[in-house]
Amino acid sequence: MVAGVDVGGTKTLALLVAVDADGTPVVVDREQVPSDANSPEVVGSIVDALGAVLARASTPVERVGVGLAGLVDLTGVVRRAPNSAGLNDVDVVGAVSAAVGLPVVTDNDANCVAVAARALLAPDAQHLVAVTLGTGIGGGLVVDGQLVRGAMGFAGEPGHMVVDRNGVPCPCGQRGCWERYASGTALGRLGREAAEAGRGTSLVTAAGSVEQITGEHVTTLAAAEDPEAVVVLDEFADNVALGLANLLVVLDPEVVVVGGGVIAAGERLLARVRSTLATEYPHAVDRRNVQVLGSPGGPEAGALGAALIAAG
Ligand SMILES: [Zn+2]
């Protein structure tokens, strides 16, 4: 028995997971608490959610895995988290293991999604890319069957690949990062821009005002076939395809997994991403057989992967 925690921008989820001998995970309990990744109190939310499932566990829990947004170094200290300021330079391993009395491992949240996706969707895949489109964009890369961590543990951060050097400023200090165009945050911005240009009447009605339009309004209305929201979602999908094309030419994966809050848009988003890859980026997709899939486990994929990393 292991536990996995996923620390999101606004909530923290802990799972209790039984892993059988061939590595198949079964979720046996869950606890979600509200949290604010920009507040130092976010570590307390990890301990609260985890404490709840540990208290209810009927068999001993051996280890805990925690998935975090941002650059997590090889010792478990968060070194740079532009979208989770409350975690900057926090020793999450030390703080959480002291609080719960168990060994703790941490990893980047998109690495966790990559591990869960491989276990559940593509156990034979040796080359897999996972991207999580949420507040920012996380990335998890499996190459030759292994998670790629890099020299410091910071590898797989495609959200800060620059796609326009004169582009939108990013909290990381660069301009034109991919996540400014293809994260959940970016989807909200595209919705607001469409509304300001008079092409988002239904978005304004749903949100109450232009300023209040979020990515969720766009995905909800697009799912209901609202034509203006569909145009915004299609533009967004084209931005997603742009970054994926760059990853394909560098990494040549068999499977690309798309997760994060934006995946609520489901097949409508994925179908447009696939068709744009095929039409706009022939060099990236020709002679390959890449599958572009939605992440498994829905919003629990990150916590599930964290548990699998803890299980080793
Ligand atoms: Zn950036």
Side-chain angles (χ1 to χ4, degrees), residues 250-275:
V250 174
L251 293 162
D252 187 19
E254 302 152 80
V255 180
V256 173
V257 177
V258 179
V262 167
I263 203 61
E267 260 314 294
R268 175 175 283 288
L269 173 71
L270 294 173
R272 173 77 178 202
V273 169
R274 291 184 198 111
S275 71

Side-chain angles (χ1 to χ4, degrees), residues 72-79 90-94 104-106 152-153:
V72 183
D73 77 12
L74 296 170
T75 67
V77 178
V78 178
R79 292 302 180 191
V90 172
D91 174 9
V92 175
V93 166
V104 174
V105 294
T106 55
M152 300 295 289

Side-chain angles (χ1 to χ4, degrees), residues 3 34 49 66 78 110-111 133 153-154 189 203 217 241 244-245 262 292 298 303 310:
V66 182
V78 178
N111 283 351
L133 314 181
F154 301 165
R189 179 175 61 80
L203 288 167
H217 293 117
L244 293 184
V262 167
V292 178

Side-chain angles (χ1 to χ4, degrees), residues 275-290:
S275 71
T276 302
L277 281 171
T279 54
E280 303 287 320
Y281 303 101
H283 185 75
V285 295
D286 283 359
R287 297 173 306 282
R288 301 184 213 271
N289 183 25
V290 186

